[in-house]
Amino acid sequence: MVDPEDLAREFEREFGRTPRLYRAPGRVNLIGEHTDYNDGFVMPMALDRSTWVAAAPRSDDTIVVRSREYHETIAIDDRTEPAQQHHWTDYVRGVAAVLAGLPGGADMLIASDVPIGAGLSSSAALEVACGYALLDLANRPINLIELARACQRAEHEYAGTRCGVMDQMIACFGREGQALMLDTRTLERRWLPLPPTLRILVCNTMVKHQLASGEYNARLADCEAGVRILARCFPGTRSLRDATLAQLDAVRGESPDQIHRRCRHVIAENARVEAAARALSDADFEAFGGLIDDSHRSLRDDYEVSCAELDAMVAIARGLGCVYGARMTGGGFGGCAIAVVDASAVDRVSRQIEERYEFATGLRPDVWVCSAGEGVAAWRPAEALHYGGHRGRGGQTL
Ligand code: GAF
């Protein structure tokens, strides 16, 4: 875990000044996968793991950024350099470019607790933490919706993934102990308290996911093709959010099978998110878990974004008692699954998942209980109880 005091000291050694500190969380998505770029519903929760930025203003316009994870220091002199250099600095350059008109440069030191390439939205955490830091250093007012949109645009234009807005929104708006029910069309937000009798286990398959591989954008293109077919018969259809399964069936003869299955996933998943929100509010965990299971099957068979290791992890979790449901989370093609587990059994379940997954695949997974954390913020010492390495040393405040 990142120790913010250590990070501040490292910054002082590197750059010779006292930094301000900022953090933005990664996320898991409970349900509502690949719905956000279809104007649909999602239900993410922010992780209690974050990307941290220590930063101070510079007197010139350069952004000098150092990453602890990549052991690299890069100077970004020209924020209009061609997009997509396939380097981690694309996210920083992108955010700085999209937040056009920020005066002056900055020195930045970045460190992260969010595993990279694990489908836990480390890139949105990096974008949002850097964007927030740059705005704050420039004494600009911070509108979190505008920040989330700017970071999404940076991801489109500088990282080449035409993502939805879920990851950036939850990195901005996460709340401790609660999941977010987000309508990605209107950005209307509803908070769903996570009951203390339920635990969310994050199960990292240790297979890196490659969102930029083109598969993600290919799914988006399939959805757009589906909308064009639907709109010919049902002119009000602007996105898959507007369509029903009955309408999809009505255009069955005109849709190639692959397009039909992609659309079926998105339309059914939207309905599942709404049903899951009701089940969670009613404390009906069996129903909630059943929807999570259905979501995985649909992502595996119709949307085809799972992989053998994710399927193995989910099957192992589902074979254990006291697990209500399990599914892949995030973009897919590797990364993490979640298991929704009765709190009384969480230690046993996580041990069994670790053992059985390693036995089945030869890979040692990372399995941990995740509590919903807070969205982006400037870090203040009182937060040390919740974030950063201090928990491991008795949880004292700084
Ligand atoms: C990735 C994207 F960045 C999100 O916008 C979302 O589409 C997700 O995959 C799939 O639900 O995390």
Side-chain angles (χ1 to χ4, degrees):
M1 300 296 271
V2 175
D3 179 332
E5 270 207 333
D6 262 7
L7 191 70
R9 278 192 293 269
E10 189 178 330
F11 184 96
E12 280 167 16
R13 280 195 303 276
E14 186 87 11
F15 296 106
R17 277 167 303 142
T18 305
R20 293 188 213 166
L21 266 69
Y22 307 88
R23 44 151 287 278
R27 62 100 190 89
V28 285
N29 188 17
L30 297 183
I31 192 161
E33 218 65 87
H34 290 275
T35 48
D36 63 346
Y37 49 85
N38 291 295
D39 279 353
F41 299 104
V42 291
M43 196 193 289
M45 63 186 245
L47 297 181
D48 47 1
R49 296 185 178 201
S50 292
T51 293
W52 293 78
V53 177
R58 285 172 65 95
S59 51
D60 59 16
D61 282 340
T62 304
I63 293 178
V64 176
V65 57
R66 173 160 185 78
S67 157
R68 236 192 216 175
E69 274 66 40
Y70 292 103
H71 309 287
E72 264 186 321
T73 305
I74 305 283
I76 302 169
D77 295 314
D78 178 4
R79 298 177 202 175
T80 58
E81 280 172 68
Q84 284 188 55
Q85 299 180 357
H86 305 288
H87 191 264
W88 63 269
T89 49
D90 285 352
Y91 298 105
V92 185
R93 215 161 34 86
V95 169
V98 168
L99 295 172
L102 287 179
D107 289 327
M108 301 174 113
L109 172 63
I110 293 167
S112 189
D113 305 325
V114 186
I116 293 165
L120 299 176
S121 194
S122 59
S123 56
L126 174 60
E127 291 152 9
V128 168
C130 288
Y132 194 99
L134 289 170
L135 288 165
D136 193 55
L137 292 181
N139 290 320
R140 289 290 165 91
I142 300 175
N143 174 318
L144 291 181
I145 299 267
E146 284 170 15
L147 177 61
R149 285 287 187 208
C151 292
Q152 179 195 20
R153 204 179 124 206
E155 181 117 11
H156 286 203
E157 293 175 10
Y158 286 77
T161 307
R162 292 173 64 206
C163 62
V165 77
M166 166 173 72
D167 300 349
Q168 292 77 12
M169 282 294 286
I170 190 66
C172 285
F173 288 99
R175 277 196 193 169
E176 198 172 331
Q178 303 185 54
L180 170 65
M181 168 78 174
L182 174 69
D183 179 338
T184 63
R185 171 171 274 169
T186 62
L187 299 189
E188 187 189 326
R189 300 175 292 286
R190 189 148 67 84
W191 295 97
L192 301 169
L194 291 164
T197 48
L198 215 58
R199 291 281 187 279
I200 308 298
L201 273 183
V202 179
C203 311
N204 190 345
T205 61
M206 309 311 271
V207 177
K208 290 245 172 194
H209 88 143
Q210 288 297 342
L211 211 53
S213 68
E215 288 293 335
Y216 185 92
N217 292 344
R219 295 302 179 283
L220 170 60
D222 284 349
C223 293
E224 289 170 342
V227 171
R228 282 194 294 276
I229 294 167
L230 280 155
R232 285 204 290 268
C233 258
F234 305 102
T237 313
R238 282 193 289 137
S239 71
L240 291 180
R241 157 71 174 274
D242 302 314
T244 63
L245 287 175
Q247 290 176 336
L248 186 66
D249 276 342
V251 298
R252 184 79 182 95
E254 291 151 60
S255 319
D257 180 60
Q258 177 172 306
I259 304 289
H260 180 80
R261 286 185 293 111
R262 303 294 192 249
C263 296
R264 185 166 63 192
H265 163 74
V266 173
I267 296 170
E269 184 80 351
N270 271 329
R272 277 191 287 271
V273 183
E274 293 188 284
R278 284 192 297 275
L280 206 52
S281 310
D282 296 346
D284 186 346
F285 304 147
E286 296 291 346
F288 183 67
L291 292 158
I292 298 242
D293 292 340
D294 291 345
S295 170
H296 184 76
R297 278 190 286 271
S298 176
L299 288 158
R300 183 191 63 198
D301 301 336
D302 275 355
Y303 220 64
E304 296 179 287
V305 289
S306 188
C307 65
E309 292 83 358
L310 280 168
D311 293 342
M313 188 70 91
V314 166
I316 287 165
R318 283 313 282 122
L320 300 170
C322 300
V323 175
Y324 294 110
R327 68 175 203 90
M328 54 155 279
T329 187
F333 310 108
C336 291
I338 53 164
V340 181
V341 183
D342 194 280
S344 63
V346 75
D347 291 339
R348 170 182 58 78
V349 168
S350 79
R351 222 177 23 254
Q352 288 176 329
I353 291 177
E354 277 167 2
E355 287 165 9
R356 293 180 191 196
Y357 180 79
E358 188 172 359
F359 182 74
T361 63
L363 297 166
R364 183 176 290 241
D366 191 12
V367 179
W368 39 283
V369 179
C370 149
S371 332
E374 294 280 336
V376 64
W379 180 79
R380 310 207 195 305
E383 284 186 47
L385 268 178
H386 296 292
Y387 296 96
H390 291 260
R391 282 182 306 185
R393 293 186 308 187
Q396 71 274 35
T397 8
L398 291 176

